[in-house]
Amino acid sequence: MKPAIFLLGLAALLAACGTVDGLGQDISAGARTVQGWL
């Protein structure tokens, strides 16, 4: 069950970003946000 949930989550991320480059930018932005909290 967990692999299916993981694949659905990954598909949703890719669909939301549109491209792999967009996904990288989103991850970088999230990392900067978390870094700001620390």
Side-chain angles (χ1 to χ4, degrees):
M1 185 68 180
K2 285 187 179 183
I5 293 172
F6 173 75
L7 290 175
L8 286 174
L10 183 60
L13 281 174
L14 289 174
C17 299
T19 63
V20 174
D21 183 47
L23 178 62
Q25 291 174 3
D26 288 346
I27 291 172
S28 295
R32 283 192 296 272
T33 300
V34 171
Q35 186 178 17
W37 294 342
L38 301 177

Short mmCIF file of all heavy atoms in Angstrom, two decimals:
data_model
loop_
_atom_site.label_atom_id
_atom_site.label_comp_id
_atom_site.label_asym_id
_atom_site.label_seq_id
_atom_site.Cartn_x
_atom_site.Cartn_y
_atom_site.Cartn_z
N MET A 1 0.83 -1.21 0.00
CA MET A 1 0.00 0.00 0.00
C MET A 1 0.86 1.26 0.00
O MET A 1 0.55 2.22 -0.68
CB MET A 1 -0.91 -0.05 1.24
CG MET A 1 -1.90 1.08 1.29
SD MET A 1 -3.11 0.88 -0.02
CE MET A 1 -4.12 2.27 0.25
N LYS A 2 1.97 1.24 0.76
CA LYS A 2 2.82 2.43 0.84
C LYS A 2 3.43 2.81 -0.50
O LYS A 2 3.48 3.99 -0.81
CB LYS A 2 3.90 2.24 1.90
CG LYS A 2 3.37 2.35 3.31
CD LYS A 2 4.47 2.34 4.32
CE LYS A 2 3.89 2.48 5.71
NZ LYS A 2 4.94 2.55 6.72
N PRO A 3 3.90 1.84 -1.31
CA PRO A 3 4.45 2.25 -2.62
C PRO A 3 3.41 2.94 -3.50
O PRO A 3 3.74 3.89 -4.21
CB PRO A 3 4.91 0.94 -3.25
CG PRO A 3 5.17 0.03 -2.10
CD PRO A 3 4.14 0.43 -1.07
N ALA A 4 2.17 2.52 -3.41
CA ALA A 4 1.12 3.15 -4.21
C ALA A 4 0.90 4.59 -3.75
O ALA A 4 0.75 5.49 -4.58
CB ALA A 4 -0.17 2.36 -4.10
N ILE A 5 0.90 4.81 -2.46
CA ILE A 5 0.71 6.16 -1.93
C ILE A 5 1.89 7.05 -2.34
O ILE A 5 1.71 8.20 -2.74
CB ILE A 5 0.56 6.13 -0.39
CG1 ILE A 5 -0.75 5.42 -0.04
CG2 ILE A 5 0.61 7.53 0.19
CD1 ILE A 5 -0.92 5.17 1.43
N PHE A 6 3.11 6.48 -2.27
CA PHE A 6 4.29 7.23 -2.68
C PHE A 6 4.22 7.63 -4.15
O PHE A 6 4.48 8.78 -4.50
CB PHE A 6 5.55 6.39 -2.42
CG PHE A 6 6.81 7.02 -2.96
CD1 PHE A 6 7.39 8.09 -2.32
CD2 PHE A 6 7.39 6.54 -4.12
CE1 PHE A 6 8.52 8.68 -2.81
CE2 PHE A 6 8.53 7.12 -4.63
CZ PHE A 6 9.11 8.19 -3.98
N LEU A 7 3.84 6.69 -5.00
CA LEU A 7 3.75 6.98 -6.43
C LEU A 7 2.67 8.02 -6.72
O LEU A 7 2.86 8.90 -7.57
CB LEU A 7 3.48 5.70 -7.21
CG LEU A 7 4.66 4.72 -7.26
CD1 LEU A 7 4.24 3.44 -7.95
CD2 LEU A 7 5.85 5.35 -7.95
N LEU A 8 1.56 7.95 -6.02
CA LEU A 8 0.50 8.95 -6.21
C LEU A 8 0.98 10.34 -5.77
O LEU A 8 0.70 11.34 -6.44
CB LEU A 8 -0.75 8.56 -5.43
CG LEU A 8 -1.56 7.40 -6.03
CD1 LEU A 8 -2.68 7.01 -5.07
CD2 LEU A 8 -2.11 7.76 -7.38
N GLY A 9 1.70 10.39 -4.67
CA GLY A 9 2.24 11.66 -4.19
C GLY A 9 3.25 12.24 -5.17
O GLY A 9 3.24 13.44 -5.45
N LEU A 10 4.11 11.38 -5.69
CA LEU A 10 5.11 11.82 -6.67
C LEU A 10 4.44 12.33 -7.94
O LEU A 10 4.81 13.38 -8.48
CB LEU A 10 6.07 10.68 -7.00
CG LEU A 10 7.21 11.00 -7.94
CD1 LEU A 10 8.09 12.09 -7.38
CD2 LEU A 10 8.02 9.75 -8.22
N ALA A 11 3.42 11.63 -8.40
CA ALA A 11 2.69 12.05 -9.59
C ALA A 11 2.01 13.40 -9.35
O ALA A 11 2.00 14.26 -10.23
CB ALA A 11 1.66 11.00 -9.98
N ALA A 12 1.46 13.60 -8.17
CA ALA A 12 0.81 14.87 -7.85
C ALA A 12 1.83 16.01 -7.84
O ALA A 12 1.54 17.11 -8.34
CB ALA A 12 0.10 14.77 -6.50
N LEU A 13 3.01 15.75 -7.29
CA LEU A 13 4.04 16.79 -7.28
C LEU A 13 4.46 17.16 -8.70
O LEU A 13 4.59 18.33 -9.03
CB LEU A 13 5.28 16.30 -6.51
CG LEU A 13 5.20 16.36 -5.00
CD1 LEU A 13 6.44 15.70 -4.38
CD2 LEU A 13 5.07 17.78 -4.51
N LEU A 14 4.68 16.15 -9.53
CA LEU A 14 5.09 16.42 -10.90
C LEU A 14 3.99 17.14 -11.68
O LEU A 14 4.28 18.04 -12.47
CB LEU A 14 5.49 15.12 -11.60
CG LEU A 14 6.80 14.51 -11.12
CD1 LEU A 14 7.00 13.16 -11.78
CD2 LEU A 14 7.98 15.42 -11.40
N ALA A 15 2.76 16.78 -11.44
CA ALA A 15 1.65 17.43 -12.14
C ALA A 15 1.53 18.89 -11.70
O ALA A 15 1.25 19.77 -12.50
CB ALA A 15 0.35 16.69 -11.87
N ALA A 16 1.75 19.15 -10.42
CA ALA A 16 1.63 20.51 -9.90
C ALA A 16 2.75 21.40 -10.42
O ALA A 16 2.55 22.57 -10.68
CB ALA A 16 1.64 20.48 -8.37
N CYS A 17 3.94 20.83 -10.58
CA CYS A 17 5.09 21.63 -11.00
C CYS A 17 5.18 21.73 -12.52
O CYS A 17 5.72 22.69 -13.04
CB CYS A 17 6.38 21.01 -10.47
SG CYS A 17 6.42 20.96 -8.68
N GLY A 18 4.70 20.72 -13.20
CA GLY A 18 4.72 20.75 -14.65
C GLY A 18 5.99 20.17 -15.25
O GLY A 18 5.94 19.48 -16.25
N THR A 19 7.13 20.44 -14.63
CA THR A 19 8.40 19.94 -15.17
C THR A 19 9.29 19.51 -14.02
O THR A 19 9.07 19.87 -12.86
CB THR A 19 9.14 21.03 -15.95
OG1 THR A 19 9.47 22.09 -15.05
CG2 THR A 19 8.32 21.57 -17.10
N VAL A 20 10.33 18.75 -14.36
CA VAL A 20 11.30 18.35 -13.34
C VAL A 20 12.04 19.57 -12.81
O VAL A 20 12.34 19.67 -11.63
CB VAL A 20 12.28 17.31 -13.93
CG1 VAL A 20 13.38 16.98 -12.94
CG2 VAL A 20 11.54 16.04 -14.33
N ASP A 21 12.31 20.54 -13.68
CA ASP A 21 12.97 21.77 -13.25
C ASP A 21 12.10 22.52 -12.24
O ASP A 21 12.59 23.02 -11.23
CB ASP A 21 13.25 22.66 -14.46
CG ASP A 21 14.01 23.93 -14.08
OD1 ASP A 21 14.99 23.82 -13.33
OD2 ASP A 21 13.62 25.01 -14.55
N GLY A 22 10.81 22.57 -12.50
CA GLY A 22 9.89 23.21 -11.55
C GLY A 22 9.88 22.49 -10.22
O GLY A 22 9.81 23.11 -9.17
N LEU A 23 9.96 21.16 -10.27
CA LEU A 23 10.00 20.37 -9.03
C LEU A 23 11.25 20.72 -8.24
O LEU A 23 11.18 20.92 -7.03
CB LEU A 23 9.97 18.88 -9.36
CG LEU A 23 10.06 17.92 -8.18
CD1 LEU A 23 8.87 18.11 -7.25
CD2 LEU A 23 10.13 16.49 -8.66
N GLY A 24 12.38 20.85 -8.91
CA GLY A 24 13.62 21.22 -8.23
C GLY A 24 13.52 22.59 -7.59
O GLY A 24 14.00 22.80 -6.48
N GLN A 25 12.89 23.51 -8.28
CA GLN A 25 12.72 24.86 -7.72
C GLN A 25 11.81 24.82 -6.50
O GLN A 25 12.06 25.52 -5.51
CB GLN A 25 12.16 25.80 -8.78
CG GLN A 25 13.14 26.09 -9.89
CD GLN A 25 12.53 26.92 -11.00
OE1 GLN A 25 11.38 27.32 -10.93
NE2 GLN A 25 13.31 27.17 -12.04
N ASP A 26 10.75 24.02 -6.55
CA ASP A 26 9.84 23.91 -5.42
C ASP A 26 10.54 23.30 -4.21
O ASP A 26 10.35 23.75 -3.08
CB ASP A 26 8.62 23.07 -5.78
CG ASP A 26 7.68 23.79 -6.73
OD1 ASP A 26 7.84 25.00 -6.89
OD2 ASP A 26 6.80 23.13 -7.29
N ILE A 27 11.36 22.28 -4.44
CA ILE A 27 12.09 21.64 -3.33
C ILE A 27 13.08 22.63 -2.73
O ILE A 27 13.21 22.73 -1.51
CB ILE A 27 12.81 20.37 -3.82
CG1 ILE A 27 11.77 19.30 -4.15
CG2 ILE A 27 13.80 19.87 -2.78
CD1 ILE A 27 12.33 18.07 -4.82
N SER A 28 13.77 23.40 -3.58
CA SER A 28 14.72 24.39 -3.08
C SER A 28 14.02 25.46 -2.25
O SER A 28 14.50 25.87 -1.20
CB SER A 28 15.45 25.05 -4.25
OG SER A 28 16.25 24.12 -4.92
N ALA A 29 12.87 25.91 -2.71
CA ALA A 29 12.11 26.91 -1.98
C ALA A 29 11.65 26.37 -0.63
O ALA A 29 11.72 27.06 0.39
CB ALA A 29 10.91 27.38 -2.80
N GLY A 30 11.22 25.12 -0.61
CA GLY A 30 10.81 24.49 0.65
C GLY A 30 11.98 24.37 1.61
O GLY A 30 11.84 24.61 2.81
N ALA A 31 13.14 24.01 1.09
CA ALA A 31 14.33 23.87 1.94
C ALA A 31 14.73 25.22 2.53
O ALA A 31 15.10 25.32 3.70
CB ALA A 31 15.48 23.28 1.13
N ARG A 32 14.64 26.28 1.72
CA ARG A 32 14.97 27.62 2.24
C ARG A 32 13.98 28.05 3.32
O ARG A 32 14.36 28.68 4.30
CB ARG A 32 14.99 28.63 1.09
CG ARG A 32 16.24 28.53 0.24
CD ARG A 32 16.38 29.72 -0.71
NE ARG A 32 15.28 29.76 -1.69
CZ ARG A 32 15.29 29.14 -2.85
NH1 ARG A 32 16.32 28.41 -3.20
NH2 ARG A 32 14.28 29.25 -3.68
N THR A 33 12.72 27.69 3.15
CA THR A 33 11.71 28.04 4.15
C THR A 33 12.01 27.35 5.47
O THR A 33 11.98 27.96 6.53
CB THR A 33 10.30 27.64 3.64
OG1 THR A 33 10.04 28.34 2.44
CG2 THR A 33 9.25 27.96 4.68
N VAL A 34 12.30 26.05 5.40
CA VAL A 34 12.60 25.29 6.62
C VAL A 34 13.88 25.83 7.26
O VAL A 34 13.97 25.95 8.48
CB VAL A 34 12.72 23.79 6.31
CG1 VAL A 34 13.24 23.02 7.51
CG2 VAL A 34 11.37 23.23 5.87
N GLN A 35 14.87 26.16 6.44
CA GLN A 35 16.13 26.71 6.98
C GLN A 35 15.86 28.01 7.72
O GLN A 35 16.48 28.28 8.75
CB GLN A 35 17.10 26.93 5.84
CG GLN A 35 18.48 27.36 6.30
CD GLN A 35 19.45 27.54 5.15
OE1 GLN A 35 19.03 27.65 4.01
NE2 GLN A 35 20.71 27.55 5.46
N GLY A 36 14.92 28.81 7.22
CA GLY A 36 14.59 30.07 7.89
C GLY A 36 13.95 29.84 9.25
O GLY A 36 14.06 30.69 10.14
N TRP A 37 13.28 28.71 9.43
CA TRP A 37 12.66 28.41 10.72
C TRP A 37 13.69 28.06 11.78
O TRP A 37 13.43 28.21 12.96
CB TRP A 37 11.68 27.24 10.59
CG TRP A 37 10.48 27.51 9.74
CD1 TRP A 37 10.00 28.72 9.36
CD2 TRP A 37 9.62 26.54 9.18
NE1 TRP A 37 8.88 28.56 8.58
CE2 TRP A 37 8.62 27.23 8.45
CE3 TRP A 37 9.58 25.15 9.20
CZ2 TRP A 37 7.61 26.57 7.78
CZ3 TRP A 37 8.59 24.50 8.53
CH2 TRP A 37 7.60 25.19 7.82
N LEU A 38 14.86 27.56 11.36
CA LEU A 38 15.85 27.06 12.31
C LEU A 38 16.79 28.12 12.80
O LEU A 38 16.96 29.15 12.45
CB LEU A 38 16.66 25.92 11.68
CG LEU A 38 15.84 24.73 11.23
CD1 LEU A 38 16.72 23.70 10.56
CD2 LEU A 38 15.13 24.08 12.41
#
